[in-house]
Amino acid sequence: MTVSPHSGPARIGPSRRTVLRAGLIGGAGVVAGPMLWTQAARSAAPATGVHLSYGADPVRQMNVSWSTAGSVQAPRLDLGVTPDYGLTVRPESLSSIRVDSVYHHVDLGDLKPGTRYYYRLSHDGGAPNRGSFTTAPKGKESFRFAAFGDMGVAEDAARNVNLIRQQGAEFAFVVGDIAYADTGGQGKSREAQQDFGVWDEFLTQIQPSANAIPWMTVVGNHEMENGNGELGYDGYRARFRHPGNGAGGGEETYSFVRGNVAFIALDGNDATYEYTRNAGYLGETLDGWLEQRLAAFRARDDIDFILVGFHQCAYCTNVAHASDGGIRDRWEALFDRYQVDVVINGHNHCYERTHLMRGGKPVQEAPRGSTVDTHQGTIYITAGGGGGSTYPDVLPVLSYYTGKNGLKIPEPTTYRAVGDATHSVAFFDAHPRDAHGRARLDLEVIATDGSEVDTLTISRSR
C-alpha cells in the first residue's frame, strides 16, 4: 500500500498503544489481540528487518518491530518465557510511500524484570522468524551500551553491527542519520535523491544485533525526507517505535532510565542553525519538556548520570559541519544548570571528544585515559563514525560554529581533547555506586578494526 505524501503512514491495524499484559504468559490458553483486517496475502516470505526498542521502562517494556514484503494475512507475534510461547498478539501495521513493505509493531508491557523472553513472528503462509530478548534487571547492576551515529548501509556499517554484538552491548543509542534513504539531508531533496528501499536494506543489516537488543534511534537531518509528511518524519515513524513520552507526542523525542543512567533523546533539527526545514517546530514546548526531564532526573537519588543524545554537534572542530550555535543557544545553559554528564552527537563523520565544558569554555582537561568528575563540567562527544564515509580529521587552530542565518563564526579549538577519523563505536560501561558512594561511567571507543581510539573514566558521587 502506498499513501499520498501528506497523509502520514497508513495504519492497517490496531492502535499503537495496545499494551500487552505479559503477566498472562505461562497460562493455559493463548490470548489473542484485536482482530486485524489486512489485504489478501501477497507475501510468503518470512518477517524481516526485526528490531527492538525499549519502552519508557526498560525493566518491563519492550517494543518489537518487523517488516514484510507486502500486506499479509494475520501477522502476529507469539511470546513466552519458554519457546512454547503462550501469548499471541496482532501488531499495528503501517505502510510508507514508494515501498511495498509493511511495518509491524507490538508494544509489550508488564514484562518481568531481568527475564529472557522468546518470540516468534509469523503470518499466514509465511515461515516464522524466531528470536529472544532480555528485559533490564530491576536492581542496580553494571551494563554496557553502544553509542554512535551516521551509519547507513555499507561494509563498515555491517562490521560495526558485528562489533556491537561482539562487545556485548545491551542496547545501542543511535544519534541520527540512520539509513540515508534521502541523500539530500536538508528536507528539500528531489525524488532522484531518494530511495526509500534503502530503509529495508538498513533494517536487514542491523537485524543480527537489533533482533536481540534494543536500538534506540534519534532523527538526524537525513531523516527529514521531502514528501514524507509535514516534517518529513513519516518514513521514520512508520519504521521505529520509542517510548512516546517526549515533547509533541511523536517518535523523535523521548526519555528512559536504564540502571543508574537517564537517557534523553532530542530532535536537533528543531534547534540547528545549519538547516531551516524543521527549525523551531516544537520550540518552547521541547525546551520546557527538556528542562522538566533534566530537573526530575537530577533530583532522583537512584540516577547518577544523565546522557543526552541528538544529531547536530554542540562542539566539534571537524570542518565538514563543525559546531552548531543553534544547539548551544537553545540547550547548553540547561546542560550546565543540571550538570548533564555526557552529550552524544553525530553529523560529523568522525570521532571527537571535548574536555569538560561549562559556560561555553573548557574548565578541566580530560586527556585520553584520564579520570574526570562531571560535577565540574559536561563531556561532549561526536560519535559519527557509524559507517558513513568518514571526514578527514584535521585540527585547525581556529574552527568555527554556525551562527544565526548560517554565518560561520571562528573560535579557538581549545575545547578538543581527542579526535580520530576512523569508523568507530563508542561503548560505555555504567557501574553503580561503590562502598564510597561513587558511581562510574567508563568510556571505551573502539574502531571498526578492533583497535582502541579513546578511553575515559567519568565518575560522580552523591
Side-chain angles (χ1 to χ4, degrees):
M1 178 182 294
T2 59
V3 296
S4 63
H6 300 290
S7 62
R11 283 177 167 76
I12 322 174
S15 168
R16 164 189 175 173
R17 291 298 169 192
T18 301
V19 178
L20 309 183
R21 300 302 169 190
L24 297 172
I25 293 173
V30 175
V31 180
M35 295 297 292
L36 175 68
W37 176 88
T38 64
Q39 297 180 6
R42 297 188 302 184
S43 173
T48 188
V50 184
H51 54 290
L52 308 175
S53 60
Y54 285 135
D57 181 7
V59 171
R60 298 189 179 277
Q61 297 176 332
M62 188 74 76
N63 306 312
V64 183
S65 300
W66 70 98
S67 59
T68 53
S71 295
V72 295
Q73 285 286 357
R76 55 195 176 267
L77 176 146
D78 299 307
L79 186 77
V81 293
T82 73
D84 293 329
Y85 309 109
L87 177 70
T88 298
V89 68
R90 298 288 177 85
E92 178 189 22
S93 300
L94 302 173
S95 63
S96 190
I97 63 171
R98 298 208 299 272
V99 294
D100 292 328
S101 298
V102 176
Y103 305 94
H104 311 278
H105 308 278
V106 171
D107 295 350
L108 298 170
D110 286 349
L111 301 172
K112 298 177 182 179
T115 300
R116 185 176 184 182
Y117 285 89
Y118 298 85
Y119 65 82
R120 178 176 59 198
L121 310 173
S122 60
H123 52 267
D124 289 355
N129 189 322
R130 296 177 175 87
S132 66
F133 62 80
T134 301
T135 53
K138 190 173 184 179
K140 295 295 182 290
E141 299 181 7
S142 297
F143 63 95
R144 167 167 277 212
F145 64 94
F148 60 91
D150 307 84
M151 178 165 260
V153 178
E155 180 179 349
D156 284 309
R159 292 172 66 193
N160 277 340
V161 173
N162 290 331
L163 179 64
I164 292 165
R165 294 177 64 199
Q166 293 163 4
Q167 289 296 315
E170 296 186 34
F171 64 94
F173 197 32
V174 187
V175 289
D177 283 8
I178 301 167
Y180 293 91
D182 183 313
T183 60
Q186 298 187 39
K188 303 174 182 179
S189 300
R190 302 182 303 277
E191 189 169 325
Q193 296 173 291
Q194 299 174 328
D195 180 0
F196 295 139
V198 169
W199 276 114
D200 290 332
E201 296 176 27
F202 175 82
L203 294 174
T204 298
Q205 172 186 265
I206 69 170
Q207 179 174 288
S209 168
N211 65 357
I213 67 169
W215 278 49
M216 307 300 292
T217 59
V218 178
V219 292
N221 55 294
H222 283 271
E223 278 67 66
M224 297 187 296
E225 296 174 337
N226 190 31
N228 230 337
E230 181 181 359
L231 299 169
Y233 293 154
D234 283 356
Y236 176 81
R237 292 172 176 176
R239 294 169 175 91
F240 292 96
R241 282 293 176 267
H242 290 307
N245 59 358
E251 303 296 331
E252 296 77 48
T253 65
Y254 56 87
S255 66
F256 65 96
V257 176
R258 177 66 161 81
N260 63 338
V261 184
F263 295 83
I264 299 176
L266 299 177
D267 183 356
N269 295 325
D270 188 274
T272 178
Y273 285 154
E274 186 177 3
Y275 305 109
T276 60
R277 174 65 165 81
N278 288 348
Y281 80 96
L282 286 172
E284 292 181 358
T285 298
L286 177 55
D287 297 352
W289 173 82
L290 170 60
E291 181 162 20
Q292 184 274 330
R293 290 286 77 205
L294 289 173
F297 287 148
R298 190 47 79 201
R300 283 175 53 171
D301 181 68
D302 62 326
I303 293 175
D304 295 304
F305 300 103
I306 299 176
L307 189 150
V308 180
F310 51 92
H311 186 61
Q312 287 83 357
C313 297
Y315 287 96
C316 187
T317 65
N318 195 288
V319 295
H321 294 291
S323 307
D324 196 305
I327 300 296
R328 297 183 191 179
D329 289 349
R330 283 276 295 276
W331 298 332
E332 187 173 20
L334 290 175
F335 298 158
D336 288 352
R337 184 179 310 156
Y338 295 101
Q339 296 183 12
V340 169
D341 299 278
V342 180
V343 173
I344 297 184
N345 307 130
H347 205 35
N348 289 292
H349 296 189
C350 62
Y351 174 77
E352 186 168 306
R353 176 174 60 75
T354 69
H355 297 297
L356 272 69
M357 302 293 293
R358 190 70 89 226
K361 297 179 181 179
V363 294
Q364 180 182 327
E365 291 191 353
R368 183 185 285 109
S370 63
T371 298
V372 297
D373 186 329
T374 45
H375 282 97
Q376 309 302 317
T378 299
I379 296 289
Y380 290 84
I381 293 175
T382 299
S389 300
T390 55
Y391 301 159
D393 180 60
V394 179
L395 177 61
V397 175
L398 287 177
S399 185
Y400 69 86
Y401 65 93
T402 303
K404 292 182 179 179
N405 301 316
L407 295 176
K408 305 300 183 184
I409 303 171
E411 66 178 353
T413 58
T414 53
Y415 57 78
R416 170 170 145 152
V418 179
D420 187 89
T422 59
H423 289 108
S424 64
V425 175
F427 294 93
F428 291 85
D429 292 299
H431 301 286
R433 294 169 209 162
D434 60 20
H436 303 287
R438 183 168 292 274
R440 204 174 75 244
L441 193 61
D442 296 334
L443 169 67
E444 181 182 16
V445 181
I446 302 176
T448 306
D449 63 9
S451 60
E452 183 180 280
V453 174
D454 188 23
T455 62
L456 185 73
T457 298
I458 301 168
S459 67
R460 176 178 279 273
S461 59
R462 300 293 294 189

